[in-house]
Amino acid sequence: MKPSVLVVNCGSSSLKLALFDERENKLASALAERLGTQDAFARIAGDSETIALPAGANHQQALQTLISTLRERELMPDEPVSIGHRVVHGGETFREAVIIDNHVVEAIKDCAGLAPLHNPVNLSGIEATRALFPDVPQIAVFDTAYHQTLAPRAYLYALPESYYRNWHVRRYGFHGISHFFMANETARRLGKTLETTSIISAHLGNGCSITAIRDGLSVDTSMGLTPLEGLIMGTRSGDIDPGLFDYLGTCGIPEREVYNVLNHRSGLLGISGKTNDMRTLCDLADNGHEPSALAIEIFCFRLAKYVGAMMASLHRLDALVFTGGIGENSSRVRSKTLSHLGLLGFDIDAGLNGHHGRLSDGRIDKADSRFPVLVIPTNEELVIAREAARLAAHC
Ligand code: ADP
């Protein structure tokens, strides 16, 4: 049997599968999108033809279809040796990845109130693969777990302590799988061990967060109780004055609507009035669309402020690292952000930045920059596959 690890990532309306061999080569990947709608479809990566899914197909149906297609095409001839699932919220219960059993399933259900859009679909992926592969160990890897090393000064809000005690209100942080990958990969590239590496990791995709990592551990992060806090994002506002709810209430806008707007119609989309997509925004700004230029300006200024804030948790900075679709590809965002931070001594090379660090093992800083600056593509699937292989070895 060829040992392979299957990675399952169920988003609110999407499903991604990836299959790795024991040398960490990706053997196949597949995805399904628009699940729960009339336009649900699936596709094997590298294949132009889409696979029909029944209208309104859910995650379980998509998963069964994709697994049988991978088998038919002999892309997955044998059962995987383990299956790793991305699970968004592990609350305070899960500080690391775990082998899934019925207790773990119940505990993930218990955390669903904190991530109502994500944990239930993560669980449906787990149930589907447990039914399809009853003898294969299944591992849950949590997006919140890496941030469980935050100290109370970083995770507690300045609220009545009963809110934390009774209702678990605290900062949890997200994108932990990506930030953990960045810490390991930066350490490797700088020739250091994880335990001696201290960085600031900026994950800038549709969702954006920044994390201070001290000696390999997450010590502060910008997302909070939910993934709404912190940086400006594609459609999310990031930090906002909570007094907004009361004020807009007096203007006749119900709380639920404000919350929905903060999540889905704010951020880059809200400011520009056009799009949540940074690439399109840059094109619009270049063509004189001022609200788009302003959206980029505000995005970078907020990010720069957070880089400064993350310094408060570090005793040394080995590198500032950028990742995610924007972090990896937008030289404009990187240079605009760092232009606000001259006082801290960041200095990047325009040529290396323009090539997104691809000519220099990620480095984009000038020789006399006070701190290294790197661009590193994230690889969350690989972290999940590694954790799944590591824990399955104990089964
Ligand atoms: P997700 O969080 O959904 O995984 P991604 O990490 O793929 O998102 O990031 C998507 C964002 O990356 C979008 O705003 C997109 O415009 C941006 N992006 C991708 N390529 C570029 C580019 N060349 N220049 C600027 N932004 C880019």
Side-chain angles (χ1 to χ4, degrees):
M1 180 168 110
K2 283 191 201 135
S4 63
V5 176
L6 179 67
V7 174
V8 181
N9 182 358
C10 289
S12 47
S13 64
S14 68
L15 163 68
K16 291 184 192 147
L17 297 182
L19 195 65
F20 287 86
D21 71 13
E22 79 273 38
R23 295 207 178 102
E24 303 189 344
N25 299 309
K26 203 193 272 191
L27 302 172
S29 54
L31 87 162
E33 285 184 354
R34 302 192 191 143
L35 296 174
T37 75
Q38 297 298 308
D39 309 319
F41 71 94
R43 177 182 289 143
I44 304 292
D47 209 339
S48 53
E49 145 204 352
T50 56
I51 303 159
L53 289 175
N58 61 21
H59 288 78
Q60 301 211 353
Q61 289 167 302
L63 201 118
Q64 282 161 358
T65 305
L66 283 173
I67 297 283
S68 45
T69 311
L70 287 170
R71 281 177 165 155
E72 275 160 27
R73 300 194 189 173
E74 295 183 359
L75 290 164
M76 193 168 81
D78 305 301
E79 287 209 330
V81 290
S82 63
I83 301 176
H85 293 266
R86 178 199 212 128
V87 179
V88 166
H89 219 306
E92 291 186 318
T93 312
F94 297 106
R95 301 178 67 87
E96 57 191 359
V98 288
I99 298 166
I100 297 170
D101 58 18
N102 291 339
H103 297 296
V104 168
V105 168
E106 286 309 309
I108 295 172
K109 277 186 195 158
D110 288 343
C111 298
L114 292 162
L117 291 182
H118 292 100
N119 276 29
V121 293
N122 300 154
L123 277 167
S124 70
I126 289 170
E127 277 158 20
T129 53
R130 284 179 103 193
L132 283 170
F133 303 103
D135 300 324
V136 176
Q138 318 250 342
I139 282 68
V141 186
F142 299 89
D143 236 352
T144 48
Y146 184 50
H147 301 301
Q148 280 295 302
T149 45
L150 262 60
R153 68 169 182 237
Y155 74 68
L156 282 180
Y157 292 114
L159 291 171
E161 61 87 31
S162 58
Y163 282 29
Y164 172 60
R165 199 165 17 89
N166 295 338
W167 309 110
H168 317 290
V169 173
R170 54 160 285 176
R171 175 177 287 111
Y172 290 95
F174 298 86
H175 288 149
I177 300 169
S178 175
H179 291 300
F180 179 65
F181 176 83
M182 296 303 281
N184 278 287
E185 186 58 18
T186 307
R188 190 188 70 75
R189 292 186 191 209
L190 297 180
K192 295 169 70 83
T193 60
L194 178 65
E195 294 72 26
T196 60
T197 299
S198 293
I199 64 169
I200 295 175
S201 165
H203 178 112
L204 312 174
N206 271 316
C208 300
S209 71
I210 186 164
T211 293
I213 296 168
R214 181 175 169 144
D215 297 329
L217 303 177
S218 172
V219 286
D220 196 10
T221 193
S222 59
M223 283 178 168
L225 175 70
T226 75
L228 181 55
E229 190 178 345
L231 302 176
I232 287 166
M233 312 180 210
T235 62
R236 284 173 247 167
S237 61
D239 293 343
I240 206 89
D241 180 346
L244 182 82
F245 283 91
D246 195 48
Y247 171 69
L248 286 176
T250 66
C251 305
I253 307 178
E255 239 172 64
R256 203 65 227 165
E257 186 178 330
V258 178
Y259 184 65
N260 204 30
V261 167
L262 293 179
N263 271 293
H264 302 294
R265 285 168 40 207
S266 298
L268 296 173
L269 172 65
I271 304 166
S272 70
K274 288 278 187 192
T275 177
N276 63 325
D277 187 283
M278 182 57 83
R279 204 170 355 186
T280 313
L281 272 184
C282 290
D283 291 343
L284 286 165
D286 288 342
N287 287 307
H289 188 250
E290 285 187 13
S292 295
L294 189 60
I296 299 168
E297 194 69 45
I298 300 174
F299 179 94
C300 294
F301 183 58
R302 173 82 59 88
L303 176 58
K305 289 208 291 190
Y306 260 97
V307 173
M310 291 295 134
M311 291 281 202
S313 294
L314 300 177
H315 54 332
R316 186 186 70 248
L317 183 65
D318 295 316
L320 167 64
V321 293
F322 288 95
T323 195
I326 299 173
E328 291 166 32
N329 296 298
S330 179
S331 51
R332 181 180 194 148
V333 165
R334 293 188 299 259
S335 64
K336 203 174 252 304
T337 303
L338 294 181
S339 72
H340 294 294
L341 294 171
L343 266 184
L344 296 181
F346 290 104
D347 201 357
I348 55 171
D349 180 289
L352 296 176
N353 188 35
H355 284 96
H356 312 293
R358 285 170 204 150
L359 303 180
S360 47
D361 205 27
R363 294 287 288 258
I364 59 167
D365 50 296
K366 281 188 183 158
D368 58 355
S369 174
R370 187 157 162 226
F371 304 108
V373 182
L374 282 86
V375 179
I376 299 177
T378 194
N379 195 341
E380 292 155 292
E381 286 172 345
L382 183 58
V383 173
I384 299 170
R386 281 177 181 164
E387 291 289 78
R390 182 177 68 81
L391 287 178
H394 299 298
C395 286

